[in-house]
Amino acid sequence: MEKIKKDVEKIWKTSISAIETLENLEDIKKFHSTNLGKNSDLSAILRNISKLTISERKEIGQFANKVKENISNNLKQQEEKLRQTLYDKEDSETIDTTISGYKLNTGKTLSIGSIHPISAMIKLIEDTFAVYGFEIAEGPEIETDWFCFQALNIPIGHPARDMQDTFYIKEDELLPRTHTSSVQIRTMQNNAPPIRIIAPGKVYRNENSDSRHSFMFHQFEGLVIDDKSNLKDLSNILQGALKRIFDNENIRLRIRNSYFPFTEPSIEIDCSCIFCDMKGCKICSNKGWLELLGAGMVHPQVLRNVNIDPNKYQGFAFGTGIERLVMIKDRVDDTRLFYENDIRFLSQFRNI
Amino acid sequence: MKISLDLIKKYTYIPDNRNDLYNLIDRFAIKSVDVDSITEYPSFEEDILIGEVKEIYKHKNADRLYVTKVDIKNKEIQIITGAPNVYKGMIVPVVLAGGKINGQNIEKHDFRGEISYGMMCSEKELGLGENHSGILDLGSGSTEDMLFRKYIGKSLKSVIKDTIIDIDNKVISHRGDLFSHQGIAREFAAIQNKPFSEKVIPKIRTNKDNKLKVNIEDKEFCYRYCAVTIDNLKVEESPFWMRERLKNLGIKPINNIVDITNYVMVNLGQPLHAFDLSKISKDNNLEIYVRKAKYNEEIITLDSKRRLLKENNYVIATKNASIGIAGVMGGKESEIDENTQSILLESATFNSSLVRKSAKSVNIRSEAVLRYEKGISQSLALKALNYAIDLIIQTTNGNISSLVTDVITKKLEDNLVIKLDISKIEKVLGMNIPINDVSSILSSLDIKNKQIKNFIFATIPDTRFDIKEDVDLIEEIGRIYGYDNINIEDSNMTIMPVRKNLTFEMNNKIIRIIASLGGYEIKTYSFINQALMDKSLIKNDSIRILNPISPNFDLLRPSLIPSMLDIVSTNQKHMDSFILYEIANIYLKNNTIQPKEELHLITAYFSKDKEESFFHIKGILDTINLYLNLNNTFEYSGNPEKPFLKNKGSKVYISGNYIGEIGDISSLVKENFGIYGSLSIFDINIEDLHNNIGKFINIKNISKFPEIKEDITILYKNKINSKDILDKINDTNLKTKDIIDIYNGDKIKNDETSITIRLVFENFEKTFLGTEIKDKIDDIKNTLLKEFKDTLTFR
């Protein structure tokens, strides 16, 4: 019995000192199973005490359990100590959070790309006018003379044709459209009033490229036909729309007289300069106003051309260059940049 | 077109105060015609005065000098001059000692005993021209239009001061009446609500009775032809004021006769032409014909160019020869020169669109064409002729040698009367304009009007071709009253629901998906050239533009690939790898009039490394497939066309329909574009893709029991492909089967590929037993071995 007691004491002693050397949580787990589990030396001793008397067994049993409890407590303490060290260590570790998050991975294409500013502006226009009930309408880019000119009250040989330099596929017959106004005709031909559409798209003019002109550019056209919409409603919608497009609540409009064969009255709409609040700046050439849109009440002859009765229906149309809107809003000063497609330019439009 | 506000003053009020003037120009730009620029004239100093030479005699001690006494009102000063053209009574520009000219101080000066207290100036010294041969003679050729004699002692600048505005022709291409100072003056009068006085043109009396015979052969073309002959005139330089006026309006002064025709034209808008009579007629029986040109008839025009005429040209001719292209440009042979003594003066009304066609076919844009093509009132022809005759007689001492001939082939129509429903004004403009204002606005624009009940009956003057119906009148009322009176607060438009545009919605989605995957959206020109097509090895037929802006852009592109290759090439200098994409139409030849426009999506992945770029591009296409919620998946089979490598790419299908190609680009093409690196592209037709988009997403339940993942690695001969293998892997509990690794490097044969497939099993009823999965894997392997006996092994 004394031997057994000594064995237990020995196990106790070696265990306690062994526990102090344990250095990680994995070892603690292992130690627990080898020294305290069913297959441990301590358990083996306890299994072999059948030869002893009941009181001896009781004594050894109590002693062994006390030892077991003590070892277990020591182990727990050691574990606690180790965990604390780990937490402390983790706490002392540092990351330099000023280092760029994604560039370390890149040079590659792991970064996000960009949407072309023209696409982004078209989407903004689309969303803005949807609020006022405008649907998107489309038409072909290569258009017949009738849809692009004649139906719009510009007969063959009309001086107004000189207002737009036209490319031809076949003279006076087929051409890359010079404006999105052709979509007005296609829409009115296929739909009965009330009509409210926005038609964005590519247009083509035979003029030399410079910082403000490109032979291909984008326009959008708006059209409203019903029994009562007038210049007041046009001004109201455009003022609201421009406030949203330019993200500026103080926008005011100015209407000037103008001429388009397909509207009567025809007007130009200027918007107060969004950069200087009409004090005059470089963007508005010190005028305080930005020339923005052509517009007007749809000409009765145009309505007659698409079999809509001008005595019953009226409405307005408006349109402008989409590049121009981007150039104003994002201060791009050369329209050619939109078509050079240099990633160093494109990647600046972080507008996904 | 340039407009002289000083000339406008002859017709209506123009304020002298500079602020008021600029304010008026602003209102004119808003209510009438946009103004491109404003120029103030002249640029020389106020110090130059108008004087009269009262006395002149030779300098005693100097042969080439003269002593003059010049009157500058209440004061006579002595000026010594060497100019040969000074005479007693001459009106001259003078600078007194102490004054400045061209920034230089003029001092009094002793010329061999005679003191000069100032200087008389030449045109060159005033900075007005190159003429330095003598002192500028302000008095010569004076007419009522400009009498400098009245302004002795005044500053020359203050007398000839003018503000020139350059107006935007584009917005008045419907307003023939505005191509004249008289017409523009009418606008200034209306804007200010000031009176307008028409140019009073003296009646021309002639006692000559020799008739000028005018034969108008084409009555569709010529509505009215007025002409006269004038003899005994002297052709010389125009007076100073006339030359300056024309120069300021951008018209080059030629000689007194031509200048007068131009001066009348800018005043009234009616082009005139003068022919040298002796060059077109040898006797007194002049006959003029207005006729169609004969086919291949030749004429040398005033610009010295030989013109070959066609049947859509019209000429003015004598019996023997044509002497001018009617309404377009006169002939060189009958040009007025310094020896001309007699002229035929023409003022005619021609059909505007026929003049335009005629001018276009010979490619001439003259001041006359600019006006004729817009339409000119028939009533102007005789007025303009009389005005010109009057000016010529006043300045050249010539005399009228024929009757003033006036042939009219088209009866002057009664003025149009338009009935305007008063309530429609507000209905269109959205502003309520008092009826008195409506009436006075119309009157100020020379539109007579009277109100009867709820209507206004407006009589349109014959100069206003543009006013045809009631809305045209409403525009006149609206713009003059002022659109700034619109109160947008009262607008109340009804709400309308918006239907989706499926194509736009899909495009927006695709654009965002690819940008999120790192792509940069590009936009390239729709026009390309054959060389770009050839470099790309693309053979498609393309449509040609008749009048390209340059040979680089003469085709409508039948493919997006060439432009993409071009842009990849320019960007590789700045980035090691990138994704570019574009959505745009291509244009294909078609049986109908219009070409077929097909909406395409092209995406390119470029990398300087030798890494495989193909799966990047394929990954993007697969992502689009997934996130567009397409009902069917893209299918890949068959070899793609050039510029794709035939074994490193395939055609793309959806629901069995061919939509495009995907693959690596051949090195030949890459070299053609100077692209150095790996490059893969897909180019698909998305025209009808939106029809495949599912309206709903079918959400599946999630199992409560754990999923089991098992990977199997397969080595197969390239006779078969991964799709064949995946198609044969089936099990009721199989949730997904994805290829997670691929190898075709050096450790296996060239015609072999190794893939690892991850199988994920799920069970909605219970947790899988280990043996169940093992059995399933074994079954799958056995099926594959049976199916692909000699072509596949497991590793």
Side-chain angles (χ1 to χ4, degrees), chain B residues 96-131:
Chain B
L96 303 185
K100 267 189 181 185
I101 180 163
N102 264 336
Q104 280 193 318
N105 293 320
I106 302 299
E107 307 294 348
K108 79 177 171 185
H109 191 79
D110 185 341
F111 290 92
R112 299 191 185 193
E114 294 281 2
I115 310 247
S116 186
Y117 293 92
M119 187 181 104
M120 292 184 263
C121 320
S122 70
E123 268 183 59
K124 193 176 182 185
E125 282 157 342
L126 291 171
L128 299 175
E130 287 309 301
N131 192 343

Side-chain angles (χ1 to χ4, degrees), chain A residues 72-88:
Chain A
S72 178
N73 281 340
N74 269 289
L75 195 61
K76 260 185 202 150
Q77 270 172 30
Q78 181 67 8
E79 187 181 343
E80 221 28 63
K81 209 170 113 195
L82 278 178
R83 279 189 191 277
Q84 197 53 52
T85 323
L86 271 178
Y87 297 149
D88 290 348

Side-chain angles (χ1 to χ4, degrees), chain B residues 340-394:
Chain B
T340 303
Q341 289 178 343
S342 57
I343 58 165
L344 166 71
L345 191 59
E346 156 203 299
S347 174
T349 315
F350 302 123
N351 176 303
S352 56
S353 64
L354 293 178
V355 170
R356 183 179 153 84
K357 253 185 217 161
S358 167
K360 258 200 150 174
S361 80
V362 288
N363 205 12
I364 296 179
R365 295 282 301 162
S366 59
E367 291 285 332
V369 172
L370 185 70
R371 290 171 173 82
Y372 273 122
E373 68 171 16
K374 312 291 187 311
I376 295 169
S377 165
Q378 221 170 309
S379 64
L380 276 175
L382 189 59
K383 275 185 205 162
L385 187 73
N386 286 340
Y387 188 9
I389 294 170
D390 183 49
L391 286 173
I392 290 172
I393 304 275
Q394 274 194 67

Side-chain angles (χ1 to χ4, degrees), chain A residues 113 141-142 168 204 257 266 304, chain B residues 30 469 475 515 526 587 597:
Chain A
E141 289 174 31
I142 311 302
Y168 278 102
Y204 305 87
N257 182 49
S266 297
R304 287 190 280 267
Chain B
I30 288 172
E469 48 186 309
E475 176 178 76
S526 306
Y587 312 90
E597 290 175 25

Side-chain angles (χ1 to χ4, degrees), chain A residues 86-208:
Chain A
L86 271 178
Y87 297 149
D88 290 348
K89 183 168 173 267
E90 198 181 30
D91 254 355
S92 69
E93 284 167 354
T94 55
I95 289 174
D96 181 351
T97 54
T98 63
I99 294 172
S100 151
Y102 58 87
K103 271 189 191 149
L104 280 182
N105 300 326
T106 52
K108 295 264 174 186
T109 48
L110 293 171
S111 59
I112 214 159
S114 69
I115 290 170
H116 196 282
I118 301 296
S119 290
M121 182 54 81
I122 290 176
K123 179 76 163 63
L124 178 57
I125 290 165
E126 198 184 318
D127 293 347
T128 301
F129 283 96
V131 174
Y132 293 97
F134 286 77
E135 289 173 0
I136 296 288
E138 293 169 280
E141 289 174 31
I142 311 302
E143 196 47 285
T144 63
D145 194 272
W146 195 82
F147 282 105
C148 196
F149 293 130
Q150 293 167 46
L152 288 159
N153 210 18
I154 316 172
I156 288 173
H158 193 283
R161 290 205 176 200
D162 292 345
M163 290 168 81
Q164 301 169 355
D165 295 309
T166 310
F167 287 114
Y168 278 102
I169 308 293
K170 211 169 170 195
E171 188 149 15
D172 291 341
E173 201 170 303
L174 192 66
L175 50 121
R177 65 181 177 196
T178 55
H179 48 201
T180 43
S181 307
S182 51
V183 185
Q184 282 185 27
I185 302 298
R186 288 192 175 267
T187 306
M188 287 191 286
Q189 228 174 31
N190 298 323
N191 299 277
I195 291 170
R196 243 181 251 187
I197 57 144
I198 281 286
K202 288 184 177 131
V203 300
Y204 305 87
R205 303 262 175 101
N206 195 345
E207 45 190 46
N208 286 316

